[in-house]
Amino acid sequence: MRASSRLQVNQSAASVYSFLADVSNETLWRQSIVGSRYVDADAPELGVHGQTDVQMGSRALTMSWEISHLTVGEYVAWRPCSARWLQRPKEAVAGK
């Protein structure tokens, strides 16, 4: 099943890209995300790895990913590093 929708954002494309490229902002627009970060990097670059902490009810997971495509100022895409999700106790995520 596929779904689509439109959303008008009254900001410049560069401003929207900057907001979304800062992965720490994921907690502001994705309900189940409780933390997200680049690993050994401060900004998106091709090949940079990151981790996203997800909280779904009593389950806490950390997803590892890598930036797979990047056009600075326009487009950034990631891919999971593996199919494995790392389970952690709820307290470990909440304590970050």
Side-chain angles (χ1 to χ4, degrees):
M1 174 182 190
R2 289 186 177 224
S4 66
S5 63
R6 289 184 178 258
L7 172 70
Q8 182 170 334
V9 177
N10 294 321
Q11 297 289 327
S12 69
S15 175
V16 172
Y17 173 86
S18 292
F19 178 81
L20 295 175
D22 179 352
V23 295
S24 67
N25 287 331
E26 279 191 281
T27 60
L28 302 174
W29 62 276
R30 295 182 67 190
Q31 185 176 11
S32 62
I33 304 299
V34 295
S36 195
R37 64 206 157 276
Y38 296 117
V39 176
D40 298 326
D42 295 323
E45 290 184 35
L46 192 60
V48 163
H49 289 259
Q51 294 179 328
T52 298
D53 301 318
V54 181
Q55 183 76 47
M56 294 176 279
S58 64
R59 303 203 25 105
L61 307 168
T62 297
M63 182 181 77
S64 296
W65 44 268
E66 175 185 12
I67 295 178
S68 58
H69 297 86
L70 177 73
T71 303
V72 175
E74 289 183 34
Y75 179 78
V76 60
W78 59 269
R79 65 176 178 81
C81 290
S82 70
R84 186 169 67 102
W85 287 69
L86 306 173
Q87 292 190 4
R88 298 185 308 155
K90 185 176 183 177
E91 308 81 49
V93 173
K96 282 194 169 238

